Amino acid sequence: MKKMRAFPGRSAAAAGAVLIVLGAFLPGCRASDPTAGKPESGGMDEKTRGKTVLEISGKNYTNGDFDAFVRTSVGSGAVELLPPALSRLFDGFCDEKILLSQALASGAVLTDGERAGHLQRLRAATGADPASEFSAAEESVFSDRLLTEKYLAGWTKAIAVEDGEVAAYYEAHKSDFLLPEKVQVSQILLDSEGKASTIRERLRGATEDDFRAVARRESTGPEAAKGGIMGVFSPGQLPQELESFILPLGEGEISRVVGSTYGFHIFRLDKRTDATLVTLADASAGIRARLLDERSRRAVAGHLDDLKRTLEWRAIPERLPFAYQRNEQP
């Protein structure tokens, strides 16, 4: 019997959904709460909960299984999800279980230590009490995901990126590794324009130490205690109406009085660092990780498509407790 399919028109691009589920479920997972399993968590009676919505090689998954998948993926926000979001989650649920079936068929197993350690890390990541308990359904979802990840890690471990590929990427994307110009800026902030103008006159020819002393004594800005030092900024990080007065300054130069909604400013450009290019040696680790991630994602997506063509599986979205909407993306 060839594979059975309920999603005509779904492409390989949709396979990427499982990578989002496997790679990003941890930040969204939640510890079990007292309402989990009650009608409010999924709006389902026991009959609906027990309906099979996915069959893979003789293994049946129910609405209850999908409900556990959703709650461990998005937490308490599950009750607010609309059909389009639930439909894409169901796509991810199918993809995840198809990969799980292959993980089980491959003989991949979890040790008790791996399972316990994973659950402990999940509690820590969500801020849950270390002594709190996940429901049996939640533990099953988490363990299945970990097993699938373990299988995929082994399946993709032979993927490599050569030094030449890293160098080629660097050369093709050099602008991504250009660190912008940076300036250290200080200010004296005053309540009145008259006082600001008087102090600005006193600062003509002043040293940096003179500026800092006046800032500590006269400025009303939050950085006064630090001698007026605001921080280090790149173009675009300061309000544009102020940046136009600051960036043209030379090192050690003091601006004229600049009015804003905050008061009246006297800026000093303390130091300017020119734009610099990150070297290939410093950028190579990040480039290699990026290329490995992209290559692994494509490999897993292709593997998932192969499984969908060869496994016996059938999704039954008409049994879901919401109106499933097909993914029409090419």
Side-chain angles (χ1 to χ4, degrees):
M1 178 178 177
K2 301 299 288 183
K3 68 147 180 142
M4 295 174 286
R5 179 160 194 168
F7 301 118
R10 288 183 68 202
S11 69
V18 73
L19 298 169
I20 296 172
V21 172
L22 293 178
F25 78 89
L26 188 143
C29 69
R30 298 291 187 274
S32 180
D33 64 66
T35 63
K38 294 183 179 181
E40 289 81 4
S41 69
M44 290 183 287
D45 56 30
E46 287 306 310
K47 182 178 179 180
T48 301
R49 183 173 291 274
K51 286 183 177 179
T52 296
V53 293
L54 176 64
E55 300 171 351
I56 305 174
S57 301
K59 169 72 174 177
N60 294 340
Y61 294 96
T62 67
N63 273 314
D65 296 319
F66 176 56
D67 181 54
F69 171 91
V70 171
R71 287 186 287 108
T72 55
S73 297
V74 299
S76 58
V79 296
E80 301 172 359
L81 294 175
L82 297 176
L86 286 168
S87 298
R88 300 294 71 78
L89 279 167
F90 184 66
D91 295 343
F93 172 73
C94 294
D95 290 347
E96 185 170 294
K97 297 308 181 185
I98 287 170
L99 284 171
L100 173 64
S101 72
Q102 189 64 17
L104 293 169
S106 75
V109 293
L110 293 178
T111 66
D112 291 341
E114 287 173 330
R115 185 178 291 104
H118 185 57
L119 294 175
Q120 184 177 6
R121 289 190 294 274
L122 288 175
R123 292 188 188 93
T126 57
D129 184 340
S132 65
E133 296 291 335
F134 291 115
S135 70
E138 288 170 336
E139 285 199 11
S140 177
V141 173
F142 293 144
S143 295
D144 286 349
R145 283 173 177 165
L146 181 61
L147 179 65
T148 304
E149 289 173 352
K150 184 177 181 178
Y151 161 71
L152 290 176
W155 191 79
T156 59
K157 68 180 180 181
I159 295 175
V161 174
E162 302 298 327
D163 291 344
E165 296 174 281
V166 172
Y169 183 94
Y170 177 81
E171 290 298 325
H173 300 84
K174 266 191 175 178
S175 61
D176 294 344
F177 302 101
L178 184 65
L179 298 179
E181 172 191 42
K182 293 184 179 181
V183 292
Q184 178 177 302
V185 181
S186 298
Q187 74 164 347
I188 297 171
L189 180 63
L190 299 155
D191 294 331
S192 75
E193 185 174 10
K195 185 174 182 178
S197 297
T198 299
I199 289 177
R200 174 64 183 83
E201 286 300 311
R202 284 166 43 196
L203 289 172
R204 287 185 181 275
T207 66
E208 180 176 352
D209 289 342
D210 293 335
F211 185 93
R212 306 245 175 268
V214 173
R216 291 188 183 95
R217 186 172 63 252
E218 304 285 356
S219 180
T220 61
E223 63 288 307
K226 298 187 295 182
I229 298 175
M230 297 170 62
V232 178
F233 305 92
S234 297
Q237 292 184 326
L238 290 165
Q240 188 169 1
E241 64 271 20
L242 302 182
E243 191 173 86
S244 61
F245 292 98
I246 296 170
L247 292 186
L249 296 174
E251 282 194 359
E253 188 176 355
I254 296 172
S255 73
R256 67 175 180 81
V257 175
V258 179
S260 78
T261 55
Y262 303 102
F264 298 89
H265 308 256
I266 303 169
F267 293 110
R268 183 180 190 277
L269 195 148
D270 303 323
K271 183 178 180 181
R272 184 187 300 275
T273 302
D274 293 335
T276 57
L277 183 67
V278 177
T279 65
L280 173 60
D282 290 336
S284 61
I287 295 173
R288 191 180 304 277
R290 179 188 184 119
L291 294 178
L292 278 172
D293 179 67
E294 291 175 352
R295 193 161 295 176
S296 296
R297 285 174 175 264
R298 288 195 299 269
V300 171
H303 182 43
L304 180 58
D305 272 350
D306 289 342
L307 292 175
K308 288 179 176 178
R309 285 191 293 269
T310 56
L311 287 179
E312 296 178 1
W313 70 281
R314 181 168 70 110
I316 317 172
E318 59 269 22
R319 294 181 182 173
L320 293 166
F322 61 90
Y324 174 82
Q325 298 180 16
R326 297 188 186 280
N327 186 1
E328 300 300 336
Q329 293 183 354

